[in-house]
C-alpha cells in the first residue's frame, strides 16, 4: 500500500476519534483495526500497528490523569505488576495453543458487561462495599484481564473498569481512571512483542500515535470536566458493538486471517 500524506492524515483523524472514545469507555480498537484492514494492511501488521498506536493513547490518558493528581500511591504497584504478568503470559501462550474458543466466549462476556451496566442505572455513582480486598482483586481479576489482553484484547479497558466497580466498590469514574493505567501496562507488554517481531508499520503507526495522543488528551479532560455522564452510555454502546463485531468475525462475515 502507498502511504500518501492524505492517507496518513485520514488515519490521524481516525485515531483521534478512537483515542477519545477509548479514554472514556474503551473499545477504540473497534474503530482503528477495521480501518487498517479496509486500507489493505495485512492482518498481522494491522494487529501490530493497532497495538503500537493504542499504547500511546493509553499512555497519554494515564500521564494526563497522573498530572491532574490521580493514579498516585504504592497501592497501584501490585495491580500494575499483576496486569503486566498476565499480559506477558497471554502473549506467550497465544502462540502455542488453539484460541478458537475465544470467538464465542468474548462476545458473551462483552454483552454481560453491557447488560450489567445497562440494568444498573446507578452503577458506580457512589462507592459501595468492596467484595474483595485490594490484594485479592489485584491477584485474581487483574491478571486474568491482563492475560486476555495478551491473547486477544478488545474491551480490555471496559473489563478493567467493570471489575473495579463490581469487586472493589469503586465509582465508575474512579474505576475508569485506574483502568487507563492497567490498560497502558498490558498494551506496553503486547506491543513490545509485536515490535520485536518486526510487524509494526511505523510510518502509519506514527500518524495514528499522534492522533491517539490528542484524542486521549481531550478524552481525559472530558472525563474530569463533567464528562462522566458519557461513560455509561459509551461503555454500553462499545461493548455491544465489539460483541457484534466478534460474532460477525466468528461467522466469517469478515476475518483477520
Amino acid at each position: 500500500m502507498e502511504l500518501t500524506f492524505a492517507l496518513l492524515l485520514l488515519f490521524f483523524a481516525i485515531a483521534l476519534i478512537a483515542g477519545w472514545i477509548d479514554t472514556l469507555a474503551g473499545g477504540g480498537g473497534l474503530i482503528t483495526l477495521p480501518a487498517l484492514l479496509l486500507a489493505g494492511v495485512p492482518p498481522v501488521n494491522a494487529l501490530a500497528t493497532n497495538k503500537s498506536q493504542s499504547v500511546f493513547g493509553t499512555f497519554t490518558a494515564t500521564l494526563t490523569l497522573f498530572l491532574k493528581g490521580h493514579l498516585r500511591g504504592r497501592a497501584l504497584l501490585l495491580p500494575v505488576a499483576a496486569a503486566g504478568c498476565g499480559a506477558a503470559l497471554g502473549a506467550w501462550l497465544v502462540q502455542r495453543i488453539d484460541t478458537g474458543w475465544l470467538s464465542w466466549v468474548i462476545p458473551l462476556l462483552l454483552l454481560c458487561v453491557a447488560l450489567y451496566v445497562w440494568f444498573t442505572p446507578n452503577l458506580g455513582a457512589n462507592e459501595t462495599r468492596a467484595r474483595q480486598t485490594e490484594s485479592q482483586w489485584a491477584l485474581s481479576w487483574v491478571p486474568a484481564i491482563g492475560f486476555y489482553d495478551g491473547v486477544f484484547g478488545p474491551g480490555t479497558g471496559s473489563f478493567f473498569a467493570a471489575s473495579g466497580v463490581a469487586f472493589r466498590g469503586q465509582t465508575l469514574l474512579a474505576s475508569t481512571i485506574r483502568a487507563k493505567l492497567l490498560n497502558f501496562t498490558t498494551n506496553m507488554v503486547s506491543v513490545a512483542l509485536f515490535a520485536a517481531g518486526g510487524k509494526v508499520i511505523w510510518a502509519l503507526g506514527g500518524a495514528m500515535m499522534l492522533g491517539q495522543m490528542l484524542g486521549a488528551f481531550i478524552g481525559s479532560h472530558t472525563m474530569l470536566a463533567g464528562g462522566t455522564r458519557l461513560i455509561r452510555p459509551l461503555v454500553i454502546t462499545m461493548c455491544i458493538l465489539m460483541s457484534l463485531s466478534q460474532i460477525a468475525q466468528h461467522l466469517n462475515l469478515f476475518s483477520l486471517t
Side-chain angles (χ1 to χ4, degrees), residues 28-85:
L30 184 65
I31 298 171
T32 53
L33 185 56
L36 287 166
L37 293 170
L38 287 173
V41 179
V44 174
N45 299 94
L47 289 168
T49 304
N50 184 60
K51 272 293 182 184
S52 73
Q53 58 89 34
S54 66
V55 74
F56 275 79
T58 51
F59 168 73
T60 302
T62 299
L63 179 61
T64 302
L65 293 169
F66 175 80
L67 294 176
K68 291 289 184 178
H70 302 277
L71 299 173
R72 307 285 179 96
R74 294 183 179 180
L76 293 171
L77 294 178
L78 181 59
V80 165
C85 289

Side-chain angles (χ1 to χ4, degrees), residues 175-194:
S175 187
T176 300
I177 288 174
R178 180 179 281 200
K180 297 302 108 183
L181 174 61
L182 299 177
N183 203 182
F184 167 63
T185 303
T186 57
N187 275 343
M188 276 291 293
V189 172
S190 299
V191 79
L193 295 174
F194 276 125

